[in-house]
Amino acid sequence: MIRHANSNPDFKDYVSRGVTVVGFTAQWCGPCRMMTPIFENLAKLYPKLKFMKVDIEKLPDVAASEKVGSMPTYNIYKDGRIVEQMTGANTAQLMVLAGKYK
């Protein structure tokens, strides 16, 4: 299941415990839309990981605080700290990244 961040405190709380894969996206972003089914499949494939999407248009403060400069960006958080970051629509790279923390 993928959770959608609805505020900065919601985002911070969700990534604060365990391993969380966060996708930073925007509705206008074509590569983001292309990666959506991959992200959804990873959430099903790795049920022990948490997954969250952040719409940078709705939560620009979260995108800014996490230094997201392009979309899509995928961050892996472990107990609230970024341990990995990936930018771009690279399906294989995202699968490898998530698989490292399964």
Side-chain angles (χ1 to χ4, degrees):
M1 182 171 153
I2 298 172
R3 180 168 175 164
H4 294 264
N6 55 37
S7 67
N8 196 352
D10 178 48
F11 167 79
K12 293 289 187 191
D13 181 61
Y14 197 67
V15 302
S16 69
R17 292 173 304 282
V19 177
T20 310
V21 183
V22 179
F24 293 89
T25 65
Q27 289 185 359
W28 50 262
C29 172
C32 299
R33 288 193 306 271
M34 183 187 82
M35 292 294 287
T36 294
I38 307 306
F39 196 68
E40 290 169 351
N41 286 336
L42 286 173
K44 292 175 188 170
L45 186 61
Y46 300 125
K48 292 183 181 180
L49 298 179
K50 299 189 304 182
F51 287 80
M52 175 176 258
K53 282 183 111 177
V54 176
D55 184 328
I56 63 142
E57 291 181 310
K58 293 179 182 173
L59 298 174
D61 56 330
V62 174
S65 70
E66 300 307 303
K67 297 178 177 48
V68 174
S70 60
M71 268 73 58
T73 293
Y74 298 94
N75 288 351
I76 308 276
Y77 294 84
K78 186 170 184 183
D79 298 327
R81 294 180 185 230
I82 296 175
V83 293
E84 303 263 4
Q85 183 175 61
M86 179 197 126
T87 302
N90 186 324
T91 302
Q93 185 180 2
L94 181 59
M95 292 174 76
V96 167
L97 196 64
K100 286 171 58 176
Y101 295 91
K102 64 182 177 179

